[in-house]
């Protein structure tokens, strides 16, 4: 279905997209193309990927520009979570391809669509120059230099690699968010098997970033003027549970340590799965002044038949957890998401939600 819709979008834009095949832009001044623009789509995890990618490119001497129309190479960092996100991503790619008729020399697709649908994208969108997955982000500078120096038409280069990508330092970034705030990735991947979600298939198994690496990154971000840290992962409050007995520190311990950084004024938690709220974590959120009394906790539904079909924690667990959180964290604000119309949901299930 995804690529049936992708093909329809491509067909609808055929005169734009296919026309670019024979209309490559001339090289930049002095034959050197060095300006890079990135179209950032998707979630905060994708944002961190984009910022680190831009940081790598800046260190290699590329100039980062805001407007794709000013760039020699346009990177589209795509999202593949829901159908609308995929459609938006493909449209952004086609808009970038259209720039090859006037200003851009190349277009690169990165992000979750590149990881999940690399070959399909290359086959459907031959006007694109490269499709690059997570493991190959560190090599994207080489891909772009290849694009800049080649002449004539060639099918897209596909470089994807593994989903279980090792962590690397993520503080040398070109930040595209507000300068006082930064996303701090504490873990990657997901081990849950929610039936509506395919993220584990392209983000890999759950793995926590080390305590020392997180603290170093936090200090480096603070040194650039960051005062607000937003902790992110696919499953943020599971951080540290894969360490086992080798390291008994968990998210509560990390919060206490981050709060000790003098310049940090606010810490917030995003993407907290309902199953991992220990008493120690609840106490830390309640007692640390710098931790916002705000929790992003996707619940998805409340009716047991739907939750079972989704492979999510049952209603009683959710109700008990929410009551405990509200009782023990004064002034707590909760943010959540629900899925309405899940296959098999009855009118009764929906009214219960």
């Amino acid at each position: 279905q995804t690529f049936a819709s992708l093909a329809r979008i491509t067909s609808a834009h055929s005169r734009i997209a296919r026309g670019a095949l024979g209309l490559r832009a001339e090289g930049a001044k002095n034959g050197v193309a060095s300006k890079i623009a990135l179209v950032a789509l998707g979630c905060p995890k994708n944002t961190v990927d984009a910022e680190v990618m831009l940081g790598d490119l800046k260190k290699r001497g590329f100039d980062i520009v805001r407007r794709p129309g000013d760039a020699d190479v346009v990177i589209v960092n795509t999202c593949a979570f829901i159908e609308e996100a995929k459609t938006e991503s493909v449209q952004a790619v086609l808009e970038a391809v259209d720039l090859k008729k006037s200003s851009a020399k190349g277009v690169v697709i990165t992000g979750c669509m590149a990881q999940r649908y690399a070959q399909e994208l290359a086959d459907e969108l031959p006007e694109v120059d490269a499709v690059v997955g997570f493991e190959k982000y560190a090599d994207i500078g080489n891909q772009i230099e290849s694009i800049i120096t080649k002449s004539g038409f060639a099918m897209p280069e596909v470089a994807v690699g593994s989903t279980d990508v090792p962590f690397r330092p993520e503080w040398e970034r070109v930040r595209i968010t507000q300068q006082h705030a930064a996303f701090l990735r504490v873990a990657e991947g997901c081990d849950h098997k929610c039936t509506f979600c395919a993220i584990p298939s392209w983000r890999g198994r759950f793995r926590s970033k080390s305590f020392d690496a997180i603290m170093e990154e936090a200090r480096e971000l603070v040194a650039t003027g960051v005062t607000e840290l937003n902790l992110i992962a696919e499953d943020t409050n599971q951080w540290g549970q894969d360490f086992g007995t080798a390291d008994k520190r968990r998210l509560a311990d990390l919060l206490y340590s981050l709060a000790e950084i003098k310049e940090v004024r606010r810490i917030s938690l995003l993407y907290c799965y309902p199953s991992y709220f220990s008493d120690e974590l609840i106490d830390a959120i309640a007692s640390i002044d710098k931790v916002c009394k705000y929790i992003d906790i996707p619940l998805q539904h409340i009716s047991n038949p739907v939750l079972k079909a989704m492979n999510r924690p049952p209603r009683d667990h959710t109700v008990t957890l929410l009551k405990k959180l509200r009782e023990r964290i004064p002034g707590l604000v909760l943010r959540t998401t629900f899925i309405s119309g899940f296959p098999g949901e009855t009118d009764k299930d929906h009214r219960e939600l």
Side-chain angles (χ1 to χ4, degrees):
Q1 286 182 339
T2 295
F3 280 91
S5 62
L6 188 154
R8 287 196 298 273
I9 295 168
T10 305
S11 176
H13 291 74
S14 58
R15 282 187 294 178
I16 294 175
R18 304 295 171 186
L21 283 170
L23 291 168
R24 283 188 173 275
E26 295 297 322
K29 290 181 180 179
N30 302 320
V32 178
S34 62
K35 292 181 290 185
I36 309 295
L38 186 144
V39 180
L41 303 172
C43 67
K45 281 87 70 178
N46 236 22
T47 299
V48 173
D49 287 339
E51 292 178 338
V52 174
M53 199 184 310
L54 290 175
D56 287 344
L57 293 170
K58 187 174 182 180
K59 283 187 291 183
R60 288 189 68 144
F62 292 102
D63 294 327
I64 309 303
V65 297
R66 287 189 173 274
R67 295 182 62 255
D70 295 333
D72 300 304
V73 176
V74 180
I75 302 170
V76 182
N77 201 36
T78 59
C79 176
F81 186 47
I82 58 175
E83 191 68 23
E84 288 83 357
K86 297 170 190 174
T87 300
E88 180 186 24
S89 294
V90 172
Q91 289 173 335
V93 171
L94 291 171
E95 289 172 7
V97 164
D98 191 35
L99 292 173
K100 293 172 73 173
K101 294 189 294 184
S102 56
S103 55
K105 186 170 177 62
V107 174
V108 179
I109 303 178
T110 60
C112 293
M113 281 196 80
Q115 184 70 28
R116 189 180 186 188
Y117 301 117
Q119 195 57 55
E120 293 95 326
L121 285 167
D123 293 341
E124 292 283 351
L125 297 168
E127 307 85 5
V128 167
D129 297 273
V131 182
V132 182
F134 306 140
E135 190 177 24
K136 304 300 182 180
Y137 282 177
D139 298 326
I140 198 166
N142 292 330
Q143 293 278 357
I144 290 175
E145 288 178 358
S146 175
I147 292 168
I148 290 169
T149 56
K150 74 181 180 182
S151 60
F153 173 72
M155 288 298 289
E157 293 187 27
V158 177
V160 178
S162 169
T163 57
D164 295 331
V165 182
F167 288 112
R168 50 166 295 188
E170 293 185 324
W171 56 267
E172 290 187 286
R173 318 179 192 173
V174 173
R175 285 195 292 114
I176 56 179
T177 58
Q178 299 178 70
Q179 293 304 292
H180 74 280
F183 294 117
L184 179 58
R185 181 174 10 218
V186 300
E188 184 63 280
C190 183
D191 291 339
H192 297 292
K193 305 297 181 185
C194 302
T195 58
F196 56 81
C197 181
I199 286 175
S201 68
W202 70 81
R203 282 287 182 180
R205 60 182 176 79
F206 180 84
R207 53 213 185 271
S208 299
K209 186 182 290 185
S210 75
F211 176 88
D212 291 341
I214 294 171
M215 293 303 298
E216 178 187 18
E217 185 174 339
R219 294 188 188 98
E220 294 288 351
L221 289 170
V222 163
T224 68
V226 170
T227 60
E228 180 176 332
L229 297 173
N230 299 290
L231 274 54
I232 60 168
E234 274 72 34
D235 188 353
T236 302
N237 55 337
Q238 193 183 351
W239 180 83
Q241 296 196 24
D242 52 331
F243 292 159
T245 57
D247 186 343
K248 295 184 179 181
R249 286 173 292 195
R250 300 296 181 262
L251 186 57
D253 304 295
L254 181 61
L255 291 177
Y256 284 114
S257 295
L258 290 171
E260 290 176 358
I261 300 175
K262 181 180 178 181
E263 295 83 358
V264 172
R265 296 177 60 187
R266 297 173 62 180
I267 302 168
S268 60
L269 297 172
L270 305 180
Y271 304 102
C272 294
Y273 194 84
S275 293
Y276 303 106
F277 280 94
S278 65
D279 288 337
E280 293 80 8
L281 177 57
I282 295 173
D283 288 342
I285 296 170
S287 64
I288 301 173
D289 290 339
K290 292 182 179 182
V291 174
C292 297
K293 313 313 173 199
Y294 166 96
I295 301 173
D296 172 37
I297 175 173
L299 298 173
Q300 311 303 359
H301 215 281
I302 199 63
S303 172
N304 273 327
V306 179
L307 290 169
K308 184 176 181 181
M310 291 178 168
N311 198 27
R312 298 283 293 186
R315 176 193 171 107
D316 286 349
H317 174 87
T318 298
V319 172
T320 300
L321 172 62
L322 295 181
K323 182 179 179 182
K324 180 190 291 187
L325 290 173
R326 290 201 181 280
E327 286 177 348
R328 292 175 55 179
I329 306 174
L332 176 66
V333 174
L334 291 170
R335 176 191 182 275
T336 192
T337 53
F338 293 111
I339 297 176
S340 174
F342 189 80
E345 182 195 59
T346 65
D347 288 343
K348 180 181 177 183
D349 294 327
H350 186 70
R351 286 194 300 271
E352 185 178 353
L353 173 60

